[in-house]
Amino acid sequence: MTHPDELFTKPNLEAQVDLENPLVLEGHLQCAAYEMPLQPSDNTYFGSQMLDIAEQRMVKDTGGYYHCHPRFRPQPWRHVPIRDIEDDQYLIVDTTNQRNVVLEELEPSRAFFTVFEGLE
């Protein structure tokens, strides 16, 4: 260890997760649902926006449980930035037969990797 004094004398940074930010919340919901399906009463833990995001962006089964959306699988945590949320977004649009359907929104740091990965 080159600078032990830095480790043992400086205050630790506190991790802060803004669960009021829907971009942050969705990532955490997708990861949580991958581990164990979410149910409506889980809004106790995730806040009032949980049900809206779950209804719009997750897969609901016949029992009323929400599962991780397939586009996040098999490793949903790779889609959750832990450093920051970027302001800019790229839209992935399906223009087949002039449909113009938005398939996904991506941050610039992930857009080219994700699009390239999807073309394989």
Side-chain angles (χ1 to χ4, degrees):
M1 182 179 299
T2 308
H3 302 285
D5 56 312
E6 296 284 323
L7 180 64
F8 296 110
T9 62
K10 300 269 179 164
N12 293 326
L13 295 176
E14 293 182 21
Q16 297 181 1
V17 178
D18 180 8
L19 292 180
E20 296 298 315
N21 181 327
L23 294 174
V24 173
L25 179 57
E26 182 189 357
H28 287 275
L29 290 173
Q30 296 287 355
C31 289
Y34 181 77
E35 298 296 326
M36 186 167 82
L38 298 176
Q39 53 189 333
S41 63
D42 287 333
N43 67 351
T44 303
Y45 308 108
F46 293 105
S48 60
Q49 295 183 76
M50 185 206 110
L51 290 175
D52 290 337
I53 292 171
E55 283 289 330
Q56 295 172 18
R57 314 278 291 171
M58 301 177 83
V59 177
K60 187 176 183 180
D61 67 22
T62 56
Y65 290 89
Y66 299 99
H67 300 266
C68 181
H69 193 280
R71 70 185 162 88
F72 284 90
R73 294 182 194 145
Q75 299 171 326
W77 49 89
R78 288 186 180 232
H79 299 275
V80 180
I82 61 171
R83 300 279 182 238
D84 62 9
I85 297 295
E86 299 171 43
D87 290 332
D88 295 328
Q89 296 284 313
Y90 284 97
L91 297 178
I92 308 300
V93 180
D94 178 1
T95 60
T96 307
N97 298 324
Q98 301 177 342
R99 289 179 52 207
N100 296 326
V101 175
V102 176
L103 300 176
E104 188 166 3
E105 296 178 25
L106 297 171
E107 295 87 11
S109 64
R110 293 183 21 220
F112 297 107
F113 175 76
T114 301
V115 171
F116 178 76
E117 183 181 73
L119 294 175
E120 295 181 332

